Amino acid sequence: PGTGGPPGRVDMAAEGGASGGAAGAGGAGGGAMASAADPWSSLALADAWRRCLETDAAITLSASSEDELGGAVSDVAAEAEAKAGTVDGAVAVAVGDASLDDLSSLVAAAAVAAATVILDASSNALDDFPSAPFPNLRALSLSGNPLSPPPALRLARLLSLDLSYVELGDDGWGALDMSGLPALRRLTLEACGLTALGEEGSGPLMSVAGSLVELLASENEIEEVGGVAVLASLPRLRILDLRENAVCDEAGYADAVKALVPDLLELDTAKLKVGPMAGLHELEGLADAMAATDTVADANEDKGSCSCLEGNACLVRETCKDWANRHKIAAEVRKRDGVDVREARKRI
């Protein structure tokens, strides 16, 4: 499963600030390692999120066995140390399905561990995860590992955590401590053997209620809407996936969930209509932008896929109607569409 491939993306550009999150250099990272220079400290939160989704880091390290991991760490150690604290020194580690029972080879290389911003350790034999050596992690996948009991993670900058196919069960879920994840945006709990997520105002999700935007909990054993009552306590939640739970077959399921989370933008991968779309001609300044030409337009490039007109700033210049003003136009469309700029989904 890894750290990528979400059913939706959330635009966090308007949340502003660098991607270091609420904890700064120390926070919940714990220990001396928490002060290690953050390679993504200069990135806006939206840029860090995009890089997590695309597994985009300057240095990549992959291995399919313990022996390979040791060699791969040695290969990048000098570069990571030389570029410590810079975007060019950020490391993405992919060691999924490598038959690892610990991450000692990675932890031993302090400079590499501290520079690691993305770590896919899925489908191994890990029964624990050491937070302290990885103070700058933004995306972590522990999917398919025999974590028992689940570790109390202390990762102040973490944006995405994947615990899919970890056999938590209700007891393990109830014992999960996420108080050390103050910046968590996405939590994946697919096939974790859960019969409920929690009652309103209680349970593990309350620790991340102020930051959680995406909750992916498909293929569990939730049978009643009462089992997801805690959703009403997640004010920032915008994307929810409960597919392959028995509750989805209950009459009035979708309406009940939307009543719990009125600002939900996506339920079970289906987009929810937020409000009536204003006519483009009604948007102040947009008519001029639509009529404007630039070097790309003059070259007769296709403008049909300009996503700014859907409320999502283009990522590719060649398809953008007005590249210089893309963020302003997208924000104006979202505003007139009734969607809070800070919370709007990014449809790419």
Side-chain angles (χ1 to χ4, degrees), residues 272-277 337-339:
L272 304 179
K273 186 176 179 63
V274 177
M277 180 65 182
D337 194 21
V339 182

Side-chain angles (χ1 to χ4, degrees), residues 244-270:
E244 303 302 322
N245 280 278
V247 65
C248 298
D249 298 325
E250 293 295 303
Y253 154 74
D255 289 338
V257 170
K258 284 185 277 187
L260 291 172
V261 195
D263 294 326
L264 202 63
L265 295 176
E266 183 174 301
L267 175 61
D268 300 343
T269 75

